[in-house]
Amino acid sequence: MGGVLASRNGGDASFDQNYDITWGYDHVKSLDEGRQIQLSLDHSSGAGFGSKLSFGSGFIDMRIKLPGKDSAGVVTAFYLTSHSNNHDELDFEFLGNREGKPITLQTNVFANGQGNREQRMYLWFDPAADFHSYKILWNQYQIVFYVDDTPIRVFKNHTNIGVSYPSQPMQIEASLWNGDSWATDGGQTKTNWSHAPFQAHFQGFDINGCSDHQEPNVEPCYSTSYWWNTQKYWTLDSAHQRAYENVRKKYLTYDYCSDRPRYPTPPPECPQ
């Protein structure tokens, strides 16, 4: 049986309690006694970190401040991923842009190795100006991506109609890297290295998650003794539903569900 790593109200865990640096060690700086981590990207390397444990459910939260100025080609990522052949993954990817142009937030959902579920949107604030919370709720009923307290994406459990649903233990990861082959204007706008090093900052290293590292599956992590599995979190309440519809109407720029050239028949999990 797994265990909870953090209380509902969270504490003030330092980075080293729950996370390790995974690559680009000399491009990582610990600030404020380990309560803030800075990742840097230059021509030689980016950097990344990951949680020490994997999780089977949770309400995962990270506070991020993106690289400022001209960040075209630069990708800041925060995601959950399983380390398996047919992997599960839940992605926040922030695609940098030329100064003065909006940064794109891309989300994606992989289940049993199948991805290609990109959605892209602009944000209603400058994500490089200050820290904002980016959260992923994951239980056996739904996956919800939040920006601060606004839900921006919902992926329901539709295994009943044959759609795979993320159910493998996943590690929490974050990284800063050069994605100029694709990230900005489809790869046409390249990284301007004269602005390097690019720096992303992360805070909030408490984890509201069920770590289930002894078990091969996540079943025990579906227990309603974990608050994020209780009925309140099975669907969006009416206020969150309104906020969700509003933000998508105003800021969504791409949704694989409505990409007819790519999917002449919409995938089964898409709204019919």
Side-chain angles (χ1 to χ4, degrees), residues 38-241:
Q38 173 187 290
L39 301 185
S40 294
L41 168 69
D42 58 27
H43 224 308
S44 68
S45 183
F49 62 84
S51 59
K52 294 180 178 180
L53 300 174
S54 291
F55 299 89
S57 70
F59 204 157
I60 310 301
D61 185 354
M62 187 72 69
R63 290 172 50 73
I64 307 172
K65 182 180 172 188
L66 298 184
K69 299 204 167 71
D70 182 349
S71 62
V74 176
V75 178
T76 308
F78 165 54
Y79 57 102
L80 274 60
T81 185
S82 69
H83 297 278
S84 53
N85 290 334
N86 291 329
H87 78 299
D88 293 345
E89 186 170 308
L90 306 172
D91 293 328
F92 276 108
E93 290 179 307
F94 300 90
L95 313 182
N97 212 336
R98 286 278 175 260
E99 192 161 1
K101 289 187 163 185
I103 286 169
T104 293
L105 168 55
Q106 174 170 289
T107 59
N108 205 349
V109 174
F110 288 78
N112 196 28
Q114 190 210 327
N116 297 322
R117 295 188 174 99
E118 297 90 351
Q119 294 185 358
R120 290 191 281 275
M121 68 191 308
Y122 295 137
L123 292 163
W124 48 97
F125 53 84
D126 176 3
D130 207 348
F131 285 93
H132 289 268
S133 280
Y134 302 95
K135 309 175 196 174
I136 299 172
L137 167 69
W138 171 34
N139 59 34
Q140 69 269 47
Y141 297 97
Q142 63 175 357
I143 288 159
V144 185
F145 294 76
Y146 292 83
V147 173
D148 293 322
D149 291 316
T150 303
I152 60 152
R153 178 168 190 169
V154 178
F155 188 81
K156 290 284 199 188
N157 187 337
H158 284 307
T159 46
N160 60 322
I161 55 166
V163 178
S164 293
Y165 188 75
S167 57
Q168 303 172 58
M170 290 193 277
Q171 193 180 7
I172 306 162
E173 301 198 13
S175 57
L176 178 66
W177 48 284
N178 175 27
D180 74 0
S181 64
W182 65 276
T184 309
D185 305 323
Q188 294 175 74
T189 303
K190 300 299 184 185
T191 305
N192 182 346
W193 292 108
S194 69
H195 291 294
F198 302 96
Q199 293 169 340
H201 294 85
F202 299 81
Q203 292 175 340
F205 301 117
D206 295 298
I207 299 174
N208 283 307
C210 166
S211 79
D212 201 32
H213 46 289
Q214 288 89 16
E215 304 282 341
N217 62 55
V218 299
E219 280 300 313
C221 284
Y222 287 162
S223 160
T224 50
S225 62
Y226 300 118
W227 57 265
W228 52 85
N229 291 331
T230 57
Q231 195 165 358
K232 177 183 176 183
Y233 296 96
W234 295 359
T235 55
L236 296 184
D237 63 30
S238 57
H240 277 115
Q241 181 67 30

Side-chain angles (χ1 to χ4, degrees), residues 13-16 30-37 205:
S14 73
F15 176 83
D16 293 338
S30 176
L31 306 165
D32 188 22
E33 297 178 330
R35 289 184 172 79
Q36 186 179 148
I37 290 289
F205 301 117

